[in-house]
Amino acid sequence: EVQLVESGGGLVQAGGSLRLSCAASGFAFEDWAIGWFRQAPGKEREGVSCITTSNGETYYTDSVKGRFTISSDSAKNMVYLQLNALKPEDTAVYYCAAALTGLAKKDYEYDYWGQGTQVTVSS
């Protein structure tokens, strides 16, 4: 059974940091791309970042470049998203997802999803 479990969300003040974790199981981790998406209330789901676990290729949406860093640990089947210099507009539920198509930027390219973790940034 494929499972993706996010953790690490919370409440933080603007300018603060959080590290989100995505624990993956039930599939060959090295063959997949893992992406992070977020969805704020009343807004569409947005692709934030993605990493190909085989070669470490990464993608970031423009609004998080220079502030967020994605990484993976194949030995642990884990993907991390370091969130720095957080802004109130980063407030959302953050989801990790797995895609078999390489570096995937759109949610329809992803096959499996976690349940999400809430990130709230206060001003």
Side-chain angles (χ1 to χ4, degrees), residues 51-71:
I51 187 167
T52 54
T53 55
S54 59
N55 62 8
E57 188 179 6
T58 60
Y59 158 80
Y60 298 94
T61 194
D62 286 346
S63 62
V64 307
K65 285 180 180 176
R67 300 189 298 122
F68 292 7
T69 303
I70 193 169
S71 61

Side-chain angles (χ1 to χ4, degrees), residues 69-85:
T69 303
I70 193 169
S71 61
S72 66
D73 184 338
S74 294
K76 297 180 179 179
N77 281 15
M78 295 289 294
V79 172
Y80 306 99
L81 187 67
Q82 179 69 40
L83 285 59
N84 295 331

